[in-house]
């Protein structure tokens, strides 16, 4: 079976926990897009691991972990992450990196920072990891790919062609130009270490499909950060949707069997851009503290708001979400007035989708339904029936307004603090 996990909001929905959980059934775990702008926190026993580039199947020696062609990889940071895992005794793993994945170079990081500064009050609020400039080079056909990096001579050739162009751009933006041989000497070493992992991962996936292996495509970011369908320009530079998975991994679209949308019980976003249900009050602060809503990558405080089902329904439409996993549900315990946004008002008209323009989206006012709170501790619940009545109503309301079954409910950070209503991923 081939299962795709997508974030149904603005990222940070708790995909790491679900990926880790469903990953128990997987033979292959694949990251298809983004880079080290993503941050997955995984709790194994009492140990907390923060992954940015490496797929979360890395902790299981039987799982093949794939960084596919749609990714942008910072080799220095990826190695740091790997070495960090090795130093914590995660040594027995299978890792494969696509030779077509693009390499985040030092100039991408400098350019990310420089463009943000230049944009001033219109800045995107990027993670400053060089993601956008790296994807821009890919589209502009001046990118460097992993296959180039691990070929010592070839790498020098591409760098000789690319660096003068990038140095011009850096100079134009008031940045220092970079020295060819300094970069070459540093990065060719990364290439040497990473070479054993680099291959044509699309062929590996083809084999895995032929052998009917269980493949989990773990999502990064969220649907509203999609370059095409998200709250443009306040988005990331790739598409974190189910539709992007075949393109970004080199498998045919027909092989995707099921899509799980990960949905926080409320909404958060990092960085700038419209957020209709945002809470600028004590309740927002309370949820932020309870939910530890601080970025794994940048440690920025996340913006917090009520659950927005217009957003979730939009994600459902563009990715074809078959099941929802409701995350951080326990965070809402004891909150007196629970609201769920079910539509927006735009210029006096009710709408149920996301407008394309920033101008219109900024004008949208949420229409809420208000629900009763529950006060009982729900972290020990392991079945839906064990939940308090009000909590059941919250979930039933989500199902009613989205038409998607909430198949997984997370009632705490631990792997076992989860209610499974349907086994999605079968061996
Ligand atoms: P970039 O991906 O670094 O270019 O950042 C673009 C926007 O996407 C910013 O608002 C970031 O905060 C946001 N973003 C990127 N990756 C993530 C993520 O993994 N979770 C949440 N937000 C993200």
């Amino acid at each position: 079976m081939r299962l795709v996990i997508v974030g149904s909001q603005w990222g940070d929905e708790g995909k790491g926990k679900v990926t880790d959980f469903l990953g128990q059934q997987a033979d292959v775990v694949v990251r298809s897009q983004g880079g080290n702008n993503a941050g997955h926190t995984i709790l194994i026993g009492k140990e907390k691991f923060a992954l940015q580039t490496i797929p979360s199947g890395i902790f299981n020696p039987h799982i093949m972990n794939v960084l596919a062609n749609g990714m942008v990889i910072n080799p220095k940071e990826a190695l740091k992450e790997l070495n960090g895992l090795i130093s914590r005794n995660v040594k027995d793993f299978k890792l494969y990196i696509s030779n077509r994945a693009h390499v985040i170079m030092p100039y991408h990081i400098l350019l990310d920072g420089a463009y943000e500064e230049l944009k001033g009050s219109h800045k995107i609020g990027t993670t400053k990891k060089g993601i956008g400039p790296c994807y821009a080079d890919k589209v502009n056909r001046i990118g460097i790919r992993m296959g180039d990096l691990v070929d010592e001579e070839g790498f020098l050739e591409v760098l000789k062609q690319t660096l003068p162009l990038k140095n011009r751009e850096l100079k134009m933006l008031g940045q220092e130009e970079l020295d060819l041989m300094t970069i070459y000497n540093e990065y060719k070493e990364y290439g040497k270490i990473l070479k054993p992992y680099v291959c044509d991962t699309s062929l590996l996936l083809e084999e895995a499909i032929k052998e009917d292996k269980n493949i989990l495509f773990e999502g990064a970011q969220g649907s509203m950060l999609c370059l095409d369908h998200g709250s443009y320009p306040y988005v990331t530079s790739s598409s974190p949707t189910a539709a992007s998975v075949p393109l970004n991994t080199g498998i045919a679209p027909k092989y995707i069997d099921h899509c799980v949308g990960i949905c926080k019980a409320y909404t958060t976003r990092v960085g700038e851009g419209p957020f209709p249900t945002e809470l600028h009050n004590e309740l927002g602060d309370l949820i932020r503290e309870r939910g530890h809503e601080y970025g794994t990558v940048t440690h920025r405080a996340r913006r917090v708001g009520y659950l927005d089902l217009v957003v979730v329904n939009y994600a459902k439409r563009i990715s074809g979400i078959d099941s929802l996993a409701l995350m951080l549900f326990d965070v809402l315990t004891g909150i007196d007035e629970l609201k769920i946004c079910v539509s927006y008002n735009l210029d006096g008209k009710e709408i149920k989708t996301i407008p394309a323009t920033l101008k219109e989206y900024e004008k949208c006012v949420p229409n809420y339904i208000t629900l009763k709170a529950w006060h009982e501790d729900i972290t020990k619940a392991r079945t839906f029936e064990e939940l308090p009545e009000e909590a059941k109503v919250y979930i039933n309301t989500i199902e009613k307004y989205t038409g998607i079954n909430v198949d997984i409910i997370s009632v705490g950070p631990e792997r076992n603090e989860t209610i499974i209503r349907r086994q999605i991923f079968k061996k």
Side-chain angles (χ1 to χ4, degrees):
M1 183 183 189
R2 275 81 47 179
L3 186 100
V4 173
I5 288 182
V6 297
S8 67
Q9 294 155 321
W10 273 282
D12 308 313
E13 296 94 348
K15 292 181 291 292
K17 175 171 166 174
V18 180
T19 307
D20 171 57
F21 194 86
L22 295 175
Q24 308 303 311
Q25 312 298 322
D27 303 301
V28 187
V29 177
V30 188
R31 260 291 298 272
S32 60
Q33 44 74 228
N36 60 330
N37 49 348
H40 288 173
T41 310
I42 293 170
L43 210 64
I44 299 179
K46 289 273 161 279
E47 285 219 61
K48 204 174 189 179
F49 292 89
L51 299 176
Q52 289 180 221
T53 305
I54 309 291
S56 39
I58 203 76
F59 302 101
N60 184 332
H62 306 293
I63 294 180
M64 292 167 66
N65 290 278
V66 175
L67 303 182
N69 57 282
M71 284 193 73
V72 287
I73 297 170
N74 180 326
K76 187 177 178 172
E77 295 300 323
L79 280 171
K80 222 190 255 172
E81 210 174 305
L82 266 187
N83 290 334
L85 288 170
I86 292 167
S87 73
R88 291 174 71 185
N89 244 349
V90 184
K91 291 181 177 158
D92 194 8
F93 55 76
K94 291 190 202 145
L95 179 67
Y96 305 88
I97 304 175
S98 169
N99 45 14
R100 291 181 172 86
H102 279 248
V103 181
I104 300 179
M105 298 296 290
Y107 45 80
H108 292 135
I109 298 165
L110 292 173
L111 290 169
D112 200 351
Y115 278 114
E116 281 287 271
E117 204 170 304
L118 204 69
K119 284 176 185 163
S121 62
H122 295 290
K123 72 176 195 296
I124 308 293
T126 74
T127 58
K128 299 206 177 132
K129 301 284 182 185
I131 308 293
C134 185
Y135 276 118
D137 280 2
K138 172 179 175 174
V139 174
N140 207 12
R141 293 151 299 179
I142 52 167
I144 296 178
R145 308 202 289 184
M146 287 304 296
D148 302 318
L149 182 77
V150 298
D151 165 14
E152 239 180 280
E153 284 162 32
F155 177 47
L156 185 59
E157 281 316 302
V158 240
L159 197 60
K160 274 185 183 164
Q161 291 165 30
T162 314
L163 194 64
L165 297 172
K166 302 317 292 183
N167 270 339
R168 280 200 184 189
E169 203 177 336
L170 284 170
K171 196 172 166 190
M172 190 181 79
L173 294 168
Q175 301 286 311
E176 267 192 37
E177 294 178 48
L178 298 174
D179 177 61
L180 180 91
M181 289 317 286
T182 309
I183 297 187
Y184 175 67
N185 287 327
E186 183 184 343
Y187 278 69
K188 81 171 193 303
E189 294 307 316
Y190 302 143
K192 273 188 204 161
I193 309 171
L194 288 172
K195 193 167 182 168
Y197 303 111
V198 175
C199 60
D200 188 336
T201 51
S202 146
L203 285 176
L204 278 182
L205 293 176
E206 187 192 22
E207 280 307 307
I209 291 170
K210 270 191 202 151
E211 291 167 20
D212 205 20
K213 296 230 164 103
N214 263 359
I215 309 179
L216 184 70
F217 296 92
E218 70 168 49
Q221 290 89 43
S223 309
M224 289 301 287
L225 292 172
C226 172
L227 180 61
D228 276 81
H229 298 287
S231 46
Y232 192 88
Y234 297 103
V235 294
T236 191
S237 296
S238 62
S239 174
T241 61
S244 81
V245 167
L247 179 68
N248 285 329
T249 60
I251 68 158
K254 66 180 174 184
Y255 292 127
I256 305 293
D257 296 313
H258 196 95
C259 176
V260 181
I262 314 297
C263 175
K264 226 175 236 183
Y266 46 94
T267 313
T268 61
R269 95 170 281 184
V270 244
E272 313 303 315
F275 183 176
T277 64
E278 185 166 13
L279 289 161
H280 298 277
N281 57 16
E282 279 174 13
L283 179 56
D285 296 339
L286 178 76
I287 295 177
R288 181 177 307 106
E289 291 314 311
R290 277 202 192 166
H292 309 290
E293 295 297 351
Y294 294 89
T296 327
V297 179
T298 57
H299 308 292
R300 286 179 287 181
R302 293 179 186 141
R303 298 159 65 193
V304 173
Y306 286 122
L307 180 60
D308 184 341
L309 292 183
V310 181
V311 162
V312 179
N313 272 325
Y314 187 66
K316 171 193 169 185
R317 184 155 64 83
I318 57 179
S319 275
I321 295 174
D322 301 297
S323 301
L324 281 177
L326 189 69
M327 310 307 290
L328 289 119
F329 195 37
D330 52 306
V331 170
L332 298 185
T333 300
I335 289 176
D336 273 338
E337 204 179 45
L338 290 171
K339 290 186 180 198
I340 298 181
C341 165
V342 291
S343 64
Y344 300 144
N345 251 342
L346 174 63
D347 296 329
K349 256 205 193 134
E350 188 189 25
I351 59 161
K352 291 189 175 172
T353 188
I354 309 289
T357 69
L358 203 56
K359 201 170 149 192
E360 282 185 314
Y361 201 18
E362 271 165 353
K363 283 197 289 182
C364 284
V365 181
N367 293 318
Y368 289 112
I369 47 170
T370 303
L371 300 176
K372 280 209 190 110
W374 63 93
H375 296 271
E376 301 88 332
D377 175 18
I378 60 168
T379 58
K380 306 278 180 307
R382 295 294 174 268
T383 63
F384 182 74
E385 288 65 37
E386 285 164 7
L387 289 171
E389 221 33 59
E390 295 82 357
K392 285 183 192 160
V393 170
Y394 196 86
I395 290 166
N396 291 340
T397 306
I398 296 172
E399 292 188 328
K400 178 179 160 198
Y401 281 91
T402 60
I404 321 171
N405 291 332
V406 177
D407 286 331
I408 299 173
I409 305 157
S410 176
V411 290
E414 300 284 342
R415 216 184 242 175
N416 67 331
E417 289 173 325
T418 312
I419 297 172
I420 302 289
R421 296 171 81 195
R422 179 158 76 117
Q423 286 295 342
I424 303 163
F425 210 21
K426 293 186 199 97
K427 273 268 187 198

